Amino acid sequence: MTDAKPDRSAWLKGGNSKCQAKPVATGKPWRLVLLGAPGVGKGTQAELLKARLGACHLSTGDIFRAAKQLNQNERTPALTAALEYMRRGELVPDSTVIDIVRERRGCLRCECGFLLDGFPRTVTQAETLETLLKEEGLRLDAVLNYELPIDLIVKRLSGRRTCANCKAVFHVETRPPKKEGVCDHCGGKLYQREDDRPESIRVRMEAYRKSTAPLADFYDRRGLLLTIPADGTPEEIFNRTMEALRARS
Ligand code: AP5
Protein backbone atom coordinates (compact mmCIF):
# COMPACT_ATOMS: atom_id res chain seq x y z
CA MET A 1 0.00 0.00 0.00
CA THR A 2 1.14 3.54 -0.65
CA ASP A 3 0.50 6.57 1.53
CA ALA A 4 -1.15 8.40 -1.37
CA LYS A 5 -4.49 10.05 -0.71
CA PRO A 6 -6.42 10.08 -3.96
CA ASP A 7 -9.30 12.55 -3.97
CA ARG A 8 -12.02 12.58 -6.63
CA SER A 9 -13.85 15.83 -5.88
CA ALA A 10 -12.23 17.70 -8.79
CA TRP A 11 -13.14 14.83 -11.12
CA LEU A 12 -16.70 14.31 -9.91
CA LYS A 13 -17.70 17.95 -9.53
CA GLY A 14 -15.55 19.67 -12.17
CA GLY A 15 -15.65 23.49 -12.18
CA ASN A 16 -13.47 25.06 -9.50
CA SER A 17 -13.46 22.06 -7.18
CA LYS A 18 -10.07 21.57 -5.61
CA CYS A 19 -8.25 18.26 -5.47
CA GLN A 20 -6.59 17.26 -2.20
CA ALA A 21 -4.69 14.30 -3.73
CA LYS A 22 -1.24 13.70 -2.26
CA PRO A 23 1.40 12.27 -4.61
CA VAL A 24 2.75 8.78 -4.03
CA ALA A 25 5.80 8.90 -1.74
CA THR A 26 7.73 6.29 -3.70
CA GLY A 27 7.37 4.76 -7.13
CA LYS A 28 6.08 6.19 -10.34
CA PRO A 29 2.61 7.58 -11.02
CA TRP A 30 0.65 5.03 -13.07
CA ARG A 31 -1.51 6.18 -15.97
CA LEU A 32 -3.84 3.38 -16.98
CA VAL A 33 -7.05 2.85 -18.95
CA LEU A 34 -9.44 0.06 -17.91
CA LEU A 35 -11.39 -1.49 -20.78
CA GLY A 36 -14.03 -4.20 -20.75
CA ALA A 37 -17.74 -4.85 -21.10
CA PRO A 38 -20.23 -3.31 -18.65
CA GLY A 39 -20.17 -5.34 -15.44
CA VAL A 40 -16.91 -7.18 -16.13
CA GLY A 41 -15.52 -5.73 -12.88
CA LYS A 42 -13.58 -2.60 -13.96
CA GLY A 43 -14.81 -0.52 -11.01
CA THR A 44 -13.96 -3.31 -8.56
CA GLN A 45 -10.44 -3.62 -10.00
CA ALA A 46 -10.02 0.16 -10.05
CA GLU A 47 -10.65 0.29 -6.29
CA LEU A 48 -8.03 -2.43 -5.66
CA LEU A 49 -5.54 -0.76 -8.01
CA LYS A 50 -6.15 2.62 -6.39
CA ALA A 51 -5.26 1.17 -2.97
CA ARG A 52 -2.04 -0.39 -4.33
CA LEU A 53 -0.85 2.21 -6.84
CA GLY A 54 -2.21 5.40 -5.29
CA ALA A 55 -3.70 6.58 -8.60
CA CYS A 56 -7.12 8.27 -8.74
CA HIS A 57 -10.10 6.28 -10.01
CA LEU A 58 -11.56 8.47 -12.75
CA SER A 59 -14.89 7.03 -13.92
CA THR A 60 -17.06 8.95 -16.37
CA GLY A 61 -20.08 6.89 -15.25
CA ASP A 62 -19.50 8.18 -11.70
CA ILE A 63 -19.54 11.80 -12.97
CA PHE A 64 -22.98 11.21 -14.50
CA ARG A 65 -24.27 9.42 -11.41
CA ALA A 66 -22.99 12.29 -9.21
CA ALA A 67 -24.84 14.72 -11.49
CA LYS A 68 -28.06 12.88 -10.72
CA GLN A 69 -27.85 14.17 -7.15
CA LEU A 70 -27.94 17.79 -8.40
CA ASN A 71 -31.19 19.74 -8.58
CA GLN A 72 -32.68 20.11 -12.05
CA ASN A 73 -31.69 23.82 -12.15
CA GLU A 74 -28.05 22.98 -11.32
CA ARG A 75 -27.69 20.70 -14.37
CA THR A 76 -26.82 21.94 -17.83
CA PRO A 77 -29.17 20.81 -20.65
CA ALA A 78 -26.36 18.56 -21.99
CA LEU A 79 -26.05 16.86 -18.61
CA THR A 80 -29.82 16.35 -18.33
CA ALA A 81 -29.81 14.75 -21.79
CA ALA A 82 -26.78 12.61 -20.83
CA LEU A 83 -28.67 11.16 -17.85
CA GLU A 84 -31.51 10.11 -20.14
CA TYR A 85 -29.09 8.28 -22.50
CA MET A 86 -27.56 6.59 -19.49
CA ARG A 87 -30.92 5.47 -18.07
CA ARG A 88 -31.66 3.73 -21.38
CA GLY A 89 -28.22 2.09 -21.41
CA GLU A 90 -27.10 4.05 -24.50
CA LEU A 91 -23.77 5.80 -24.81
CA VAL A 92 -23.78 9.52 -24.04
CA PRO A 93 -22.81 11.47 -27.21
CA ASP A 94 -19.06 11.87 -27.74
CA SER A 95 -19.27 15.68 -27.77
CA THR A 96 -20.78 15.77 -24.24
CA VAL A 97 -18.34 13.25 -22.81
CA ILE A 98 -15.35 14.95 -24.41
CA ASP A 99 -16.40 18.39 -23.06
CA ILE A 100 -16.74 16.90 -19.59
CA VAL A 101 -13.31 15.25 -19.70
CA ARG A 102 -11.66 18.36 -21.19
CA GLU A 103 -13.04 20.41 -18.28
CA ARG A 104 -11.27 17.96 -15.94
CA ARG A 105 -7.96 17.68 -17.79
CA GLY A 106 -6.17 18.79 -14.60
CA CYS A 107 -6.96 15.29 -13.26
CA LEU A 108 -4.91 13.80 -16.10
CA ARG A 109 -1.92 15.91 -14.99
CA CYS A 110 -2.24 14.74 -11.38
CA GLU A 111 1.03 13.57 -9.83
CA CYS A 112 -0.85 10.58 -8.37
CA GLY A 113 -1.52 9.22 -11.87
CA PHE A 114 -4.94 7.97 -12.96
CA LEU A 115 -7.10 4.92 -13.62
CA LEU A 116 -9.50 5.88 -16.38
CA ASP A 117 -12.64 3.71 -16.14
CA GLY A 118 -15.38 4.04 -18.75
CA PHE A 119 -13.44 6.56 -20.86
CA PRO A 120 -12.53 6.25 -23.67
CA ARG A 121 -15.47 4.26 -24.98
CA THR A 122 -15.35 5.05 -28.70
CA VAL A 123 -12.53 5.53 -31.19
CA THR A 124 -13.31 9.28 -31.28
CA GLN A 125 -12.92 9.46 -27.50
CA ALA A 126 -9.67 7.45 -27.67
CA GLU A 127 -8.26 9.84 -30.28
CA THR A 128 -9.24 12.80 -28.10
CA LEU A 129 -7.52 11.27 -25.08
CA GLU A 130 -4.41 10.73 -27.18
CA THR A 131 -4.43 14.43 -28.16
CA LEU A 132 -5.07 15.62 -24.60
CA LEU A 133 -2.22 13.52 -23.22
CA LYS A 134 0.12 14.69 -25.97
CA GLU A 135 -0.73 18.32 -25.16
CA GLU A 136 0.07 17.62 -21.49
CA GLY A 137 3.32 15.79 -22.37
CA LEU A 138 2.04 12.55 -20.82
CA ARG A 139 1.82 8.93 -21.97
CA LEU A 140 -0.33 5.98 -21.00
CA ASP A 141 1.54 3.14 -19.30
CA ALA A 142 -0.93 0.44 -20.35
CA VAL A 143 -4.53 -0.36 -21.25
CA LEU A 144 -6.01 -3.20 -19.18
CA ASN A 145 -8.60 -5.13 -21.16
CA TYR A 146 -10.74 -7.38 -18.92
CA GLU A 147 -12.44 -10.32 -20.65
CA LEU A 148 -15.25 -12.59 -19.42
CA PRO A 149 -18.04 -14.63 -21.09
CA ILE A 150 -21.30 -12.70 -21.36
CA ASP A 151 -23.43 -15.00 -19.15
CA LEU A 152 -21.07 -14.42 -16.21
CA ILE A 153 -21.13 -10.67 -16.85
CA VAL A 154 -24.93 -10.57 -16.76
CA LYS A 155 -24.86 -12.40 -13.38
CA ARG A 156 -22.44 -9.82 -12.01
CA LEU A 157 -24.60 -6.93 -13.19
CA SER A 158 -27.92 -8.25 -11.97
CA GLY A 159 -26.60 -8.88 -8.43
CA ARG A 160 -24.73 -5.58 -8.10
CA ARG A 161 -25.63 -3.20 -5.28
CA THR A 162 -23.99 0.23 -4.89
CA CYS A 163 -23.73 2.47 -1.85
CA ALA A 164 -25.73 5.68 -2.38
CA ASN A 165 -23.27 7.52 -0.15
CA CYS A 166 -19.66 6.36 -0.75
CA LYS A 167 -20.30 4.47 -4.06
CA ALA A 168 -18.72 1.23 -2.79
CA VAL A 169 -19.81 -1.75 -4.89
CA PHE A 170 -21.18 -5.05 -3.53
CA HIS A 171 -22.77 -8.16 -5.01
CA VAL A 172 -25.66 -9.99 -3.38
CA GLU A 173 -23.91 -13.37 -3.84
CA THR A 174 -20.19 -12.85 -4.39
CA ARG A 175 -19.54 -9.72 -2.26
CA PRO A 176 -22.51 -9.43 0.08
CA PRO A 177 -22.51 -6.65 2.67
CA LYS A 178 -22.39 -7.79 6.33
CA LYS A 179 -25.90 -6.41 6.82
CA GLU A 180 -28.36 -6.66 3.93
CA GLY A 181 -28.94 -3.34 2.18
CA VAL A 182 -26.33 -1.45 4.26
CA CYS A 183 -22.81 -0.39 3.21
CA ASP A 184 -20.01 -2.01 5.25
CA HIS A 185 -17.82 1.08 4.91
CA CYS A 186 -20.09 4.02 5.74
CA GLY A 187 -23.49 2.60 6.73
CA GLY A 188 -25.06 4.16 3.58
CA LYS A 189 -28.07 2.62 1.84
CA LEU A 190 -27.35 0.14 -0.98
CA TYR A 191 -29.35 0.47 -4.19
CA GLN A 192 -29.61 -1.24 -7.58
CA ARG A 193 -28.52 0.94 -10.50
CA GLU A 194 -31.29 1.99 -12.87
CA ASP A 195 -29.26 0.78 -15.88
CA ASP A 196 -28.84 -2.71 -14.36
CA ARG A 197 -32.40 -3.62 -15.39
CA PRO A 198 -32.46 -6.39 -18.06
CA GLU A 199 -33.68 -4.09 -20.89
CA SER A 200 -30.89 -1.55 -20.25
CA ILE A 201 -28.26 -4.30 -19.88
CA ARG A 202 -29.09 -5.53 -23.41
CA VAL A 203 -28.65 -2.03 -24.85
CA ARG A 204 -25.36 -1.52 -22.96
CA MET A 205 -23.91 -4.80 -24.23
CA GLU A 206 -24.78 -3.88 -27.81
CA ALA A 207 -23.22 -0.41 -27.42
CA TYR A 208 -20.10 -2.09 -26.03
CA ARG A 209 -19.90 -4.57 -28.93
CA LYS A 210 -20.36 -1.87 -31.57
CA SER A 211 -18.44 1.09 -30.17
CA THR A 212 -16.07 0.04 -27.40
CA ALA A 213 -14.79 -3.44 -28.34
CA PRO A 214 -12.85 -1.96 -31.35
CA LEU A 215 -10.68 -0.06 -28.85
CA ALA A 216 -8.83 -3.29 -28.04
CA ASP A 217 -7.37 -3.21 -31.58
CA PHE A 218 -6.77 0.54 -31.37
CA TYR A 219 -4.56 0.10 -28.28
CA ASP A 220 -3.02 -3.18 -29.43
CA ARG A 221 -1.67 -1.37 -32.50
CA ARG A 222 -0.03 1.12 -30.13
CA GLY A 223 1.58 -1.68 -28.08
CA LEU A 224 -0.36 -0.73 -24.94
CA LEU A 225 -2.91 -3.53 -24.60
CA LEU A 226 -2.73 -6.02 -21.71
CA THR A 227 -5.57 -8.55 -21.86
CA ILE A 228 -6.55 -9.96 -18.46
CA PRO A 229 -8.97 -12.89 -17.97
CA ALA A 230 -11.65 -11.60 -15.57
CA ASP A 231 -12.84 -14.92 -14.16
CA GLY A 232 -12.19 -15.82 -10.52
CA THR A 233 -12.29 -13.65 -7.41
CA PRO A 234 -11.54 -9.92 -7.53
CA GLU A 235 -8.27 -10.62 -5.67
CA GLU A 236 -7.20 -13.24 -8.24
CA ILE A 237 -7.92 -10.84 -11.09
CA PHE A 238 -6.07 -8.08 -9.25
CA ASN A 239 -3.01 -10.36 -8.84
CA ARG A 240 -3.10 -11.14 -12.58
CA THR A 241 -3.27 -7.42 -13.30
CA MET A 242 -0.28 -6.62 -11.10
CA GLU A 243 1.73 -9.45 -12.69
CA ALA A 244 0.94 -8.12 -16.16
CA LEU A 245 1.98 -4.60 -15.12
CA ARG A 246 5.18 -5.83 -13.50
CA ALA A 247 6.07 -7.79 -16.65
CA ARG A 248 5.81 -4.55 -18.61
CA SER A 249 7.76 -2.23 -16.36
P1 AP5 B 1 -20.18 3.09 -16.39
O1 AP5 B 1 -20.44 3.59 -15.04
O2 AP5 B 1 -18.82 3.27 -16.98
O3 AP5 B 1 -20.63 1.58 -16.41
P2 AP5 B 1 -20.13 0.31 -17.23
O4 AP5 B 1 -18.99 0.42 -18.16
O5 AP5 B 1 -21.40 -0.16 -17.80
O6 AP5 B 1 -19.48 -0.53 -16.17
P3 AP5 B 1 -20.10 -0.92 -14.85
O7 AP5 B 1 -19.87 0.15 -13.82
O8 AP5 B 1 -21.52 -1.34 -15.07
O9 AP5 B 1 -19.31 -2.26 -14.51
P4 AP5 B 1 -17.86 -2.53 -14.01
O10 AP5 B 1 -17.08 -3.18 -15.10
O11 AP5 B 1 -17.25 -1.33 -13.34
O12 AP5 B 1 -18.20 -3.65 -12.92
P5 AP5 B 1 -18.23 -3.61 -11.33
O13 AP5 B 1 -16.83 -3.53 -10.79
O14 AP5 B 1 -19.24 -2.64 -10.81
O15 AP5 B 1 -21.19 3.73 -17.46
C1 AP5 B 1 -22.57 3.80 -17.21
C2 AP5 B 1 -23.23 4.60 -18.34
O16 AP5 B 1 -22.73 5.95 -18.37
C3 AP5 B 1 -23.01 4.08 -19.77
O17 AP5 B 1 -23.92 3.05 -20.10
C4 AP5 B 1 -23.23 5.36 -20.59
O18 AP5 B 1 -24.59 5.64 -20.71
C5 AP5 B 1 -22.60 6.44 -19.71
N1 AP5 B 1 -21.18 6.65 -20.01
C6 AP5 B 1 -20.15 6.58 -19.10
N2 AP5 B 1 -18.99 6.85 -19.70
C7 AP5 B 1 -19.26 7.11 -21.01
C8 AP5 B 1 -18.45 7.43 -22.12
N3 AP5 B 1 -17.11 7.55 -22.02
N4 AP5 B 1 -19.06 7.60 -23.33
C9 AP5 B 1 -20.40 7.49 -23.46
N5 AP5 B 1 -21.22 7.19 -22.42
C10 AP5 B 1 -20.67 7.00 -21.21
O19 AP5 B 1 -18.74 -5.12 -11.06
C11 AP5 B 1 -20.05 -5.50 -11.40
C12 AP5 B 1 -20.60 -6.44 -10.28
O20 AP5 B 1 -19.84 -7.64 -10.27
C13 AP5 B 1 -20.51 -5.86 -8.86
O21 AP5 B 1 -21.63 -6.25 -8.12
C14 AP5 B 1 -19.24 -6.51 -8.28
O22 AP5 B 1 -19.31 -6.66 -6.87
C15 AP5 B 1 -19.25 -7.86 -8.99
N6 AP5 B 1 -17.91 -8.37 -9.23
C16 AP5 B 1 -16.83 -7.68 -9.66
N7 AP5 B 1 -15.77 -8.49 -9.80
C17 AP5 B 1 -16.21 -9.74 -9.50
C18 AP5 B 1 -15.61 -11.02 -9.46
N8 AP5 B 1 -14.31 -11.17 -9.79
N9 AP5 B 1 -16.35 -12.09 -9.13
C19 AP5 B 1 -17.65 -11.96 -8.79
N10 AP5 B 1 -18.29 -10.77 -8.78
C20 AP5 B 1 -17.58 -9.68 -9.14
Side-chain angles (χ1 to χ4, degrees):
M1 299 268 276
T2 69
D3 62 354
K5 299 266 183 299
D7 165 40
R8 298 202 303 165
S9 41
W11 177 255
L12 292 180
K13 295 182 189 153
N16 298 322
S17 306
K18 291 277 178 289
C19 174
Q20 306 296 325
K22 301 272 185 307
V24 184
T26 53
K28 68 185 215 93
W30 285 88
R31 299 188 176 94
L32 303 172
V33 167
L34 280 70
L35 278 187
V40 73
K42 302 178 298 293
T44 303
Q45 290 306 310
E47 289 304 308
L48 295 170
L49 287 164
K50 177 178 85 175
R52 178 67 64 87
L53 304 177
C56 288
H57 175 197
L58 306 182
S59 151
T60 36
D62 283 349
I63 295 177
F64 296 130
R65 281 183 287 278
K68 264 194 195 164
Q69 319 291 330
L70 301 174
N71 296 325
Q72 189 71 30
N73 60 356
E74 290 174 299
R75 290 184 206 148
T76 60
L79 209 44
T80 303
L83 296 182
E84 198 42 40
Y85 283 103
M86 191 176 169
R87 196 185 61 75
R88 292 194 298 264
E90 292 170 22
L91 292 187
V92 175
D94 280 341
S95 56
T96 306
V97 178
I98 288 169
D99 282 352
I100 283 174
V101 173
R102 267 192 213 284
E103 278 173 10
R104 290 159 173 79
R105 62 191 294 162
C107 290
L108 301 177
R109 284 196 292 271
C110 181
E111 290 174 63
C112 291
F114 57 75
L115 306 163
L116 272 173
D117 166 11
F119 179 88
R121 235 180 173 99
T122 64
V123 170
T124 304
Q125 292 181 18
E127 287 166 350
T128 303
L129 176 64
E130 211 163 51
T131 307
L132 278 175
L133 291 176
K134 208 165 170 191
E135 286 167 7
E136 298 291 346
L138 299 169
R139 295 163 78 99
L140 287 177
D141 293 297
V143 174
L144 304 168
N145 184 30
Y146 292 99
E147 287 193 337
L148 191 71
I150 188 114
D151 50 328
L152 293 180
I153 292 184
V154 171
K155 265 194 189 161
R156 287 186 184 177
L157 280 176
S158 43
R160 171 164 55 191
R161 298 293 180 272
T162 307
C163 174
N165 182 40
C166 74
K167 315 297 172 217
V169 174
F170 297 85
H171 190 280
V172 289
E173 284 169 14
T174 57
R175 265 204 168 190
K178 292 192 187 98
K179 187 171 171 210
E180 196 184 326
V182 179
C183 177
D184 289 354
H185 309 296
C186 73
K189 198 168 169 221
L190 302 185
Y191 75 101
Q192 182 165 31
R193 267 169 51 175
E194 222 177 1
D195 59 351
D196 281 348
R197 292 167 303 147
E199 60 275 27
S200 303
I201 291 178
R202 270 194 300 277
V203 178
R204 286 161 70 196
M205 291 299 173
E206 183 52 20
Y208 171 76
R209 193 188 61 76
K210 244 176 80 187
S211 306
T212 312
L215 291 186
D217 263 359
F218 179 95
Y219 285 117
D220 198 23
R221 283 200 300 276
R222 285 155 176 77
L224 287 168
L225 195 74
L226 296 177
T227 294
I228 319 273
D231 57 313
T233 66
E235 289 69 24
E236 284 166 345
I237 302 161
F238 172 67
N239 289 337
R240 270 176 224 146
T241 306
M242 290 307 299
E243 262 170 45
L245 288 176
R246 271 194 289 271
R248 249 192 105 81
S249 55

